[in-house]
């Protein structure tokens, strides 16, 4: 994704140096070795808009080697999966999950998803709340989820950093962290921040208060970035005799957005508010990556496409609050319609993440019913390549192309059906889930040994 | 193009039905009757004054309205689950929500709180749910101060004021989540419920828990009503079984995530369950045993299974739960019966199977009624083809054109 003007790109170079030198909480994920795999006779949706029938896909050393054409020679240790009747898609990616931060069981002690103590908490990082033993990760894997972004909640104007994970079982989030994926910054429009902080008396209590809150924070972030850039630009001699600007966790994250290193994920329902936010981004020269929930995104589908902003949406949720009142089931299909669009089906739910394929199927069906031409090979992009683009990982995963990560799902049939199930899920070429083999189905520590006393 | 075709089709149908359609002839349907006749292929159906008068192959009849559905699947209308449809417009707009009694002034249990008195058939949710093929719902009271939430019943989603049917149904929470309302232990739910039952045998001036009106209501419920207990944990469901047998009640367990552990006992006690086919997470310590084949196990053991989605605005999603139950082993026809005729039987409503003599509401489907990519193409209630227009379809019409000439505010048909 091209983010910013050359001017800002230049500026980012200096801070990037600073950031890399101090990257804390690094990923420790490394995929184990696996034998090469060839899946044959499958219906393949590539995630690039193509459908291949009776086709094969070959992957080795964690990477996709070939799609469509069967290689002339295969290594001797290649595992063969005859997928006649089955469908193959890229690994499913959910750009909006609270697994780990609002895990199962949903007891108070696990409620770690929203630092709802101040309207601006850009300093918090969702990964520090992720409980890797959430049984929801394993359930999502059974639904074909190979990567997901964990976001803070939406009580705040700036809710903190989101983190992109590989859906691999681990005792630490570092062991799940998607290597080198950019961070996200959760922001929120509308009812939630004004309700939460209006009640607390601190404000904002209105939508105009929300906007003032964002602007004040960005003004500070610009000053912060400039101060650090100016310091880094000093000659060694001058730097030695100048006091180094103080580090500030909140502003460091916001400066990361201004530099294009961190992607904005903005919870926003109403069309008019999204238009305000696009202007806000222009004022401070940053990019809104994705609007999340966007119940009214269909009202500004062209504007979203023109501004290269993704819309991460539900298939059918509506009405739970005033800003969700105009929800229609054709939202995703309409957002998908303009040239250059980036429609995404997201879950925001430990249930929905288990069947994003079905959520996409419902959205596709409503589009077809409305007369829009949408094929499965197009709709699959809503939960694969478009989601990868939203997270800034589209050069690594989200589609079936040689050289990309072998994140692959085999489905028992057409995944746009309530009856289809993911049968095999590969992450970086490693089979992490096999529906027929209990030894390839992860069980979280929490679920281990529960209900041992049931009479059998 | 499809939408224009279907809108034209519906408009034509409506045109003829606006003149009160005494006789409606549906031709060439795949009739899934949900009754003794099973599934009839290529069948015709004659409805007169809302009642099915004849069905069979090549019916010879004259009618005011004739619809050829070209082999489409036709079922009775679906059950939308236990909802607050007509009791809520927007959840977060508190003056539009009427589904629960809080801050009761008297400190007593209000059995007699009846949500039907707050029902509005003009809520946008009625039509929005109906156009997806749902003809009726269980109007539910929820979330009151004590174990008992109040009374509701079946309601027809036909946009009329008095469309309630079936038996009075009492809603009761007995799970861990609600134990805070009765002092912190779910044992207090049973203390309270036993106390209420004892009140029935006391002199009115010595009642402990009930109001005068509540005592009268509970007496009627005990003999003719349905008791719906919200519980997920097997141990709590076991308590429901005990209470039901002791007081000889007609009971349903809603939620019922661990009901599979007690399948035989539920079957023996004649207690039905209402589950969400999508539940499979240990959402709390009450549902550690939650699993997707819960409905399949219960149905195979002889328990009467129904479906609910846990939601009201998106009650239309209950179909996806039923389809998922089938994907995880539930018999297909059982799932479809659970979605159509069964809830009406359990809650004392009319026979909703498609058969001669019944006043049956019908849905014409674009495909498999349990498949998520299918949709209702027509909903026929009381012998009338109903409108498929809703606030949401009007929003779609307004935003579907790519270049509205005078602005979208003028697309206002």
């Amino acid at each position: 994704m091209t983010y910013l003007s050359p001017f800002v790109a230049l500026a980012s170079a200096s801070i990037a140096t600073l950031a890399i030198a101090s990257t804390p909480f690094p990923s420790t994920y490394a995929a184990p070795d696996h034998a090469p795999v060839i899946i044959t006779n499958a219906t393949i949706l590539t995630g690039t808009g193509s459908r291949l029938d009776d086709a094969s896909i070959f992957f080795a050393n964690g990477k996709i080697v070939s799609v469509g054409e069967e290689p002339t020679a295969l290594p001797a240790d290649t595992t063969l999966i005859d997928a006649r009747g089955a469908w193959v898609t890229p690994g499913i990616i959910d750009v909006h999950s609270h697994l780990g931060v609002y895990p199962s069981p949903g007891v108070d002690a696990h409620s770690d998803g929203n630092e709802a103590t101040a309207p601006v908490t850009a300093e918090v990082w969702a990964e520090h709340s992720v409980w890797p033993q959430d049984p929801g990760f394993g359930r999502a894997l059974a639904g074909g989820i190979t990567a997901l972004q964990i976001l803070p909640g939406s009580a705040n104007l700036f809710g903190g950093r989101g983190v992109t994970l590989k859906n691999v079982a681990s005792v630490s989030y570092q062991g799940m962290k998607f290597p080198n994926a950019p961070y996200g910054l959760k922001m929120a429009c509308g009812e939630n921040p004004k309700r939460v902080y209006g009640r607390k008396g601190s404000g904002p209590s209105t939508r105009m208060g929300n906007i003032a809150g964002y602007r004040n924070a960005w003004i500070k972030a610009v000053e912060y970035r400039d101060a650090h850039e100016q310091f880094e630009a000093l000659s060694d001699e001058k730097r030695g005799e100048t006091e180094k600007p103080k580090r500030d966790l909140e502003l460091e994250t916001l400066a990361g957005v201004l530099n294009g290193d961190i992607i904005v994920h903005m919870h926003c329902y109403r069309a008019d508010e999204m238009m305000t936010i696009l202007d806000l981004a222009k004022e401070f020269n940053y990019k809104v990556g994705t609007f999340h929930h966007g119940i009214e995104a269909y009202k500004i589908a062209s504007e979203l496409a023109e501004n290269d902003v993704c819309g991460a949406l539900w298939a059918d949720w509506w009405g739970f609050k005033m800003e969700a009142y105009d929800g229609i089931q054709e939202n995703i299909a309409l957002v998908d319609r303009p040239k250059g669009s980036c429609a995404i089906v997201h879950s925001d739910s430990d249930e929905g993440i288990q069947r994003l394929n079905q959520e996409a199927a419902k959205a596709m069906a409503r589009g077809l019913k409305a007369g829009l031409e949408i094929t499965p090979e197009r709709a699959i992009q809503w939960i694969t390549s478009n989601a990868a683009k939203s997270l800034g990982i589209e050069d690594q995963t989200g589609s079936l192309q040689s050289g990309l990560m072998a994140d692959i799902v085999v489905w028992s049939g057409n995944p746009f059906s309530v009856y289809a199930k993911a049968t095999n899920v590969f992450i970086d070429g490693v089979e992490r889930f096999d529906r027929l083999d209990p030894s390839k189905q992860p069980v979280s520590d929490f679920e281990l040994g529960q209900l041992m006393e049931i009479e059998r | 193009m499809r939408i224009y075709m279907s809108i034209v089709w519906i408009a034509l149908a409506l045109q003829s039905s606006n003149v009160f359609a005494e006789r409606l002839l549906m031709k060439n349907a795949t009739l899934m009757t949900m009754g003794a006749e099973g599934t009839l292929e290529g069948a015709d159906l004659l409805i007169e004054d809302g009642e099915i008068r004849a069905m069979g192959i090549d019916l010879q009849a004259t009618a005011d309205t004739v619809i050829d559905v070209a082999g489409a699947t036709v079922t009775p209308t679906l059950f939308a689950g236990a909802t607050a449809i007509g009791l809520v417009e927007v959840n977060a707009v508190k003056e539009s929500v009427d589904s629960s009694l809080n801050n009761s002034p008297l400190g007593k249990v209000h059995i007699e709180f009846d949500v039907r008195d707050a029902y509005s058939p003009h809520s946008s949710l009625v039509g929005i749910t109906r156009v997806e093929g749902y003809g009726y719902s269980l109007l539910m009271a929820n979330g009151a101060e004590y174990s008992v939430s109040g009374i509701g019943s079946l309601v027809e989603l036909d946009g009329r004021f008095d469309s309630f049917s079936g038996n009075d149904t009492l809603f009761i929470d007995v799970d861990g989540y609600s134990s805070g309302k009765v002092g912190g232990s779910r044992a207090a739910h049973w203390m309270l419920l036993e106390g209420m039952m004892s009140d029935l045998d006391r002199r009115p001036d010595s009642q402990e828990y009930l109001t005068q009106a509540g005592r009268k209501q509970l007496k009627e419920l005990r003999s003719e009503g349905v008791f719906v207990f919200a519980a997920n944990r097997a141990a709590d469901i076991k308590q429901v079984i005990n209470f039901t047998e002791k007081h000889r009640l007609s009971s349903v367990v809603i939620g019922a995530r661990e009901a599979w552990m007690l399948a035989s006992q539920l079957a023996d006690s004649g207690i039905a369950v209402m589950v969400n086919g999508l539940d499979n997470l240990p959402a709390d310590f009450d549902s550690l045993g939650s699993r997707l084949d819960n409905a399949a196990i219960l149905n195979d053991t002889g328990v009467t299974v129904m479906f609910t989605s846990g939601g009201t605005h998106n009650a239309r999603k209950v179909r996806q739960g039923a389809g998922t139950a089938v994907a995880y082993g539930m018999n297909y026809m059982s799932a479809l019966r659970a979605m159509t005729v069964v809830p009406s039987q359990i809650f004392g409503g009319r026979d909703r199977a498609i058969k001669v003599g019944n006043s049956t509401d019908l849905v014409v489907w674009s495909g498999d009624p349990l498949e998520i990519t299918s949709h209702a193409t027509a909903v026929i209630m009381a012998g009338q083809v109903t409108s498929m227009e809703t606030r949401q379809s009007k929003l779609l019409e307004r935003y579907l054109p790519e270049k509205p000439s005078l602005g979208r505010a003028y697309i206002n048909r």
Side-chain angles (χ1 to χ4, degrees), chain B residues 21 25 32-33 38 41 76 84 108-109 177 192 197 221 235 241 256 269 331 337-338 377 398-399 409 413:
Chain B
L25 179 63
M32 302 186 80
T33 67
E41 309 267 351
K108 292 213 173 199
V109 178
Y177 187 71
L192 194 66
M197 298 311 277
L221 285 162
I241 294 171
S269 324
N331 174 273
R337 277 193 294 272
T377 58
R398 178 170 278 193
Y399 286 92
R413 192 174 56 79

Side-chain angles (χ1 to χ4, degrees), chain A residues 42-83:
Chain A
T43 302
I44 298 179
L45 304 178
T46 61
T48 57
S50 297
R51 167 182 170 148
L52 311 170
D53 290 304
D54 289 322
S56 65
I57 177 167
F58 176 61
F59 49 98
N61 299 316
K63 296 284 192 288
I64 295 166
V65 178
S66 65
V67 184
E69 293 301 305
E70 198 165 330
T72 46
L74 291 170
D77 61 341
T78 301
T79 303
L80 172 75
I81 298 176
D82 184 346

Side-chain angles (χ1 to χ4, degrees), chain A residues 104-107 135-136 139 298-299 316-322 325-330 334 337 350-351 354-355 358-359 361-362 365-366 368-372 416-419 421 435 446-447 450-451 454, chain B residues 1-3 89-93 124-125 128 132 258 260-261 278 280-285 288-289 292 313-314 316-317 320 323-324 326-328 332 368 370-373 375 391-392 395-396 399-402:
Chain A
S104 301
V107 298
R139 300 293 199 285
Y298 65 94
K299 299 182 181 179
D316 49 17
W317 292 21
W318 77 282
F320 39 93
K321 49 184 168 170
M322 202 58 217
Y325 195 50
D326 282 4
I328 63 173
Q329 296 174 94
E330 294 78 7
L334 287 171
R337 178 167 60 174
D350 52 17
E351 177 269 304
Q354 299 182 48
R355 43 190 70 84
Q358 294 182 22
E359 299 307 296
K362 289 189 286 185
R366 297 307 293 212
L368 289 170
K369 184 168 174 265
L372 305 169
F416 296 93
S417 164
V418 77
Y419 305 119
K421 292 172 188 162
R435 189 166 292 274
F446 175 74
E447 289 198 282
Q450 298 280 11
L451 302 174
I454 300 178
Chain B
M1 279 311 290
R2 285 185 194 197
I3 188 166
E89 192 64 25
V90 177
N91 292 355
V93 176
S124 69
L125 284 80
I128 284 167
E132 305 293 338
E258 291 190 347
W260 61 271
M261 294 181 202
L278 304 177
N280 71 336
L281 280 163
D284 48 38
F285 283 97
L288 295 174
L292 290 171
H313 288 84
N314 215 14
R316 57 198 179 191
K317 192 173 172 175
Q320 190 178 3
T324 300
V326 170
Y328 285 84
Y332 179 88
D368 172 0
L370 296 185
E371 177 58 275
I372 41 177
T373 48
H375 62 268
R391 191 169 175 278
Q392 293 184 356
L395 281 163
L396 172 63
Y399 286 92
L400 192 56
E402 287 187 89

Side-chain angles (χ1 to χ4, degrees), chain A residues 190-218:
Chain A
E191 287 184 35
N192 287 12
K194 83 187 187 90
R195 183 184 67 246
V196 172
Y197 296 99
R199 276 183 194 160
K200 288 180 197 281
S202 61
S205 68
T206 59
R207 284 185 162 83
M208 59 188 173
N210 287 352
I211 302 299
Y214 309 129
R215 296 178 82 194
N216 282 331
W218 287 124

Side-chain angles (χ1 to χ4, degrees), chain A residues 6-330:
Chain A
F7 164 74
V8 183
L10 264 181
S12 82
S14 58
I15 291 256
T17 322
L18 183 88
I20 287 164
S22 59
T23 297
F25 317 103
S27 171
T28 57
Y29 167 74
D33 293 337
H34 69 95
V37 179
I38 185 158
I39 303 170
T40 58
N41 299 313
T43 302
I44 298 179
L45 304 178
T46 61
T48 57
S50 297
R51 167 182 170 148
L52 311 170
D53 290 304
D54 289 322
S56 65
I57 177 167
F58 176 61
F59 49 98
N61 299 316
K63 296 284 192 288
I64 295 166
V65 178
S66 65
V67 184
E69 293 301 305
E70 198 165 330
T72 46
L74 291 170
D77 61 341
T78 301
T79 303
L80 172 75
I81 298 176
D82 184 346
R84 199 171 298 276
W87 290 48
V88 170
T89 69
I92 308 302
I93 299 170
D94 191 355
V95 301
H96 194 121
S97 173
H98 300 297
L99 290 183
V101 302
Y102 288 122
S104 301
V107 298
D108 286 350
H110 280 167
S111 179
D112 289 318
N114 218 144
E115 183 59 32
T117 51
V120 182
T121 60
E123 69 274 19
V124 303
W125 296 19
E127 64 198 67
H128 299 142
S129 282
V130 169
W131 183 46
Q133 300 299 341
D134 183 351
F137 289 115
R139 300 293 199 285
L141 183 66
I145 297 289
T146 56
L148 65 170
Q149 177 174 236
I150 310 301
L151 287 167
S154 53
N156 307 343
L157 300 175
F158 296 85
R161 288 197 197 194
V163 64
T164 296
L165 303 177
K166 287 268 183 180
N167 194 13
V168 292
S170 172
V171 293
S172 71
Y173 74 82
Q174 293 94 328
M176 306 172 77
K177 211 165 168 180
F178 196 115
N180 303 314
Y183 276 105
L185 171 63
K186 175 72 175 286
M187 294 177 63
C189 293
E191 287 184 35
N192 287 12
K194 83 187 187 90
R195 183 184 67 246
V196 172
Y197 296 99
R199 276 183 194 160
K200 288 180 197 281
S202 61
S205 68
T206 59
R207 284 185 162 83
M208 59 188 173
N210 287 352
I211 302 299
Y214 309 129
R215 296 178 82 194
N216 282 331
W218 287 124
I219 287 166
K220 282 192 233 165
V222 168
E223 289 171 0
Y224 180 83
R225 178 200 59 189
D226 291 350
H228 279 267
E229 276 177 13
Q230 282 158 15
F231 179 78
E232 292 299 324
L234 294 174
S235 64
D236 289 350
E237 187 191 344
K238 289 256 183 177
R239 208 181 298 162
E241 57 200 35
T242 310
E243 192 186 352
K244 186 176 178 178
K246 278 190 180 151
R247 205 177 151 199
D248 181 301
L249 283 177
E250 175 191 311
L251 297 175
E252 197 168 88
T253 290
L254 298 187
V257 170
L258 296 174
N259 292 332
D261 297 332
I262 296 175
I263 302 174
V264 170
H265 292 275
M266 186 127 198
H267 156 123
C268 219
Y269 284 67
R270 257 173 37 184
D272 55 309
E273 284 189 284
M274 288 186 264
M275 296 305 292
T276 302
I277 296 302
L278 290 176
D279 273 353
L280 175 74
K282 284 178 187 133
E283 182 184 6
F284 292 98
N285 197 22
Y286 71 90
K287 170 119 178 62
V288 180
T290 300
F291 282 120
H292 289 241
H293 311 334
I295 284 279
E296 295 186 4
Y298 65 94
K299 299 182 181 179
I300 52 165
S302 306
E303 288 84 349
L304 294 179
E306 283 158 18
N307 284 278
D308 190 29
V309 181
C310 297
L313 314 167
W314 292 294
D316 49 17
W317 292 21
W318 77 282
F320 39 93
K321 49 184 168 170
M322 202 58 217
E323 61 193 8
Y325 195 50
D326 282 4
I328 63 173
Q329 296 174 94
E330 294 78 7

